[in-house]
Amino acid sequence: MTITASNDLNEETLDALNKQGHEVNAFGIGTYLVTCYAQAALGVVFKLVEINNQPRIKLSEDVSKVSIPCKKRSYRLYGKEGYPLVDIMTGENEPPPKLGERILCRHPFNESKRAYVVPQQVEELLKCYWPGNSGEKREELPSLKDIRNRCIKQLEQMRPDHMRKLNPTPYKVSVSANLYDFIHFLWLNEAPVGELQ
């Protein structure tokens, strides 16, 4: 068996592990390899969510590191005042949210965090430009200027309390009721069951 360690490893952590003695065969160093500690880094990791049409989930004792399985679609739901209220992820084959129709938005992992939203506008957020081996034609990417302008426009649409520098209100990203149920079904099926003796 090969043991690989990762998760914000740096020089000091490696030195401490070596002094304590370990049986790690490989280290995955990302953030500290490509960024200077004095400069902020966005801690993002690509997680595989599907292999050969089989949904996959990454489990962790830290719930913030559990992945959301399967191919998804993502929508921004706007309220009466024109501001984005919440982003919602759905399964790839779920119907999109409809204008004026109430939809249940759930926190992916906290069952008590949920809200109904009646969107006044629905914007699909993801667009596939490179469909891989699906046989579909690859589309041209927008120019960097167009991408930049879209990002600026998206930020300008946010409520001021989401954008303030001191204590901003967290923007909510949720999942549909169907995706929530699927996440927890897969989680329970993939999680090891302990045995007490």
Side-chain angles (χ1 to χ4, degrees):
M1 177 188 307
T2 301
I3 300 171
T4 302
S6 67
N7 191 17
D8 288 334
L9 295 177
N10 59 32
E11 190 175 353
E12 290 78 24
T13 306
L14 294 176
D15 184 53
L17 286 171
N18 286 335
K19 287 177 179 171
Q20 294 171 26
H22 62 79
E23 296 186 24
V24 177
N25 302 102
F27 295 97
I29 302 173
T31 304
Y32 288 95
L33 181 65
V34 296
T35 62
C36 170
Y37 186 74
Q39 295 174 341
L42 180 62
V44 177
V45 179
F46 176 80
K47 301 289 185 200
L48 199 59
V49 295
E50 192 168 289
I51 301 173
N52 298 325
N53 296 319
Q54 292 295 314
R56 306 303 308 148
I57 188 169
K58 179 204 181 271
L59 300 177
S60 173
E61 289 181 7
D62 180 352
V63 75
S64 70
K65 294 183 178 185
V66 174
S67 66
I68 299 176
C70 76
K71 292 180 187 174
K72 293 170 280 298
R73 296 175 82 177
S74 183
Y75 302 91
R76 180 154 293 155
L77 308 182
Y78 292 80
K80 291 178 182 176
E81 296 176 359
Y83 290 117
L85 296 174
V86 64
D87 290 354
I88 186 168
M89 291 183 279
T90 68
E92 181 182 41
N93 297 317
E94 285 187 60
K98 294 181 182 164
L99 291 179
E101 278 191 24
R102 188 169 82 155
I103 183 169
L104 180 60
C105 299
R106 302 200 64 165
H107 185 284
F109 307 112
N110 187 333
E111 63 188 26
S112 65
K113 289 187 177 182
R114 57 200 175 155
Y116 283 109
V117 175
V118 180
Q120 303 305 303
Q121 178 186 341
V122 176
E123 176 187 9
E124 187 161 11
L125 297 176
L126 299 177
K127 179 173 180 170
C128 181
Y129 287 93
W130 193 355
N133 297 329
S134 69
E136 294 180 39
K137 187 178 178 225
R138 183 177 152 197
E139 291 190 39
E140 286 298 315
L141 290 171
S143 69
L144 286 177
K145 182 179 179 184
D146 290 342
I147 293 169
R148 180 182 184 275
N149 289 339
R150 182 179 187 280
C151 288
I152 290 170
K153 182 182 174 200
Q154 292 287 316
L155 291 172
E156 288 171 347
Q157 291 177 332
M158 290 292 171
R159 277 192 343 235
D161 60 306
H162 290 304
M163 300 305 297
R164 65 184 174 222
K165 291 191 185 298
L166 183 61
N167 297 322
T169 302
Y171 185 74
K172 292 174 179 54
V173 178
S174 61
V175 296
S176 66
N178 287 342
L179 185 52
Y180 175 89
D181 290 341
F182 183 69
I183 292 166
H184 292 266
F185 167 80
L186 199 58
W187 193 344
L188 289 174
N189 282 327
E190 297 287 331
V193 178
E195 183 174 322
L196 304 175
Q197 296 186 10

